[in-house]
Amino acid sequence: MIVHIVVFRLSAEDPATKFRDASEFGARLGALEGRVTGLLSVEVGIDVGLLRDHADMVLTSKHLSYADLEAYQAHPLHVQAAAFGRTVVAERTTVDYEIVAAD
């Protein structure tokens, strides 16, 4: 299984706008669950906003294989969600790691 984690800093400075943008982007990403083959789960978290240097939101998705992660990224529904993300995200950092089943 591949775990895909993306941490986002949003462009908005105003906390209300930042929360609105994170909520909208998160809803678009969350809506992909059950609609993209090989995508096992999607979890989106929005930072509580108590510390200034924290990122604003995180996406964690799980995929059967790296090929399924690549298919997810190219899927038209993900492409649409990512296009919206580019309008509200200032920067992002990604980590992909593999969980290997124990024998």
Side-chain angles (χ1 to χ4, degrees):
M1 176 183 352
I2 300 295
V3 179
H4 175 66
I5 300 172
V6 187
V7 178
F8 302 95
R9 287 192 187 272
L10 301 184
S11 302
E13 294 292 327
D14 171 61
T17 302
K18 190 175 286 199
F19 182 79
R20 184 195 71 225
D21 291 348
S23 297
E24 177 64 24
F25 189 29
R28 290 174 186 237
L29 292 168
L32 301 176
E33 189 168 344
R35 300 178 73 191
V36 178
T37 302
L39 173 61
L40 301 175
S41 66
V42 173
E43 182 178 354
V44 175
I46 299 173
D47 188 70
V48 295
L50 299 178
L51 298 175
R52 183 178 172 101
D53 63 342
H54 277 202
D56 300 306
M57 65 182 287
V58 63
L59 161 74
T60 303
S61 61
K62 295 181 180 175
H63 308 265
L64 290 172
S65 67
Y66 195 77
D68 287 324
L69 172 58
E70 290 177 322
Y72 156 80
Q73 290 173 327
H75 193 283
L77 293 174
H78 178 268
V79 170
Q80 271 187 313
F84 174 80
R86 284 190 293 280
T87 70
V88 297
V89 171
E91 61 184 90
R92 68 186 187 100
T93 302
T94 304
V95 174
D96 298 323
Y97 66 91
E98 184 173 16
I99 297 175
V100 179
D103 292 332

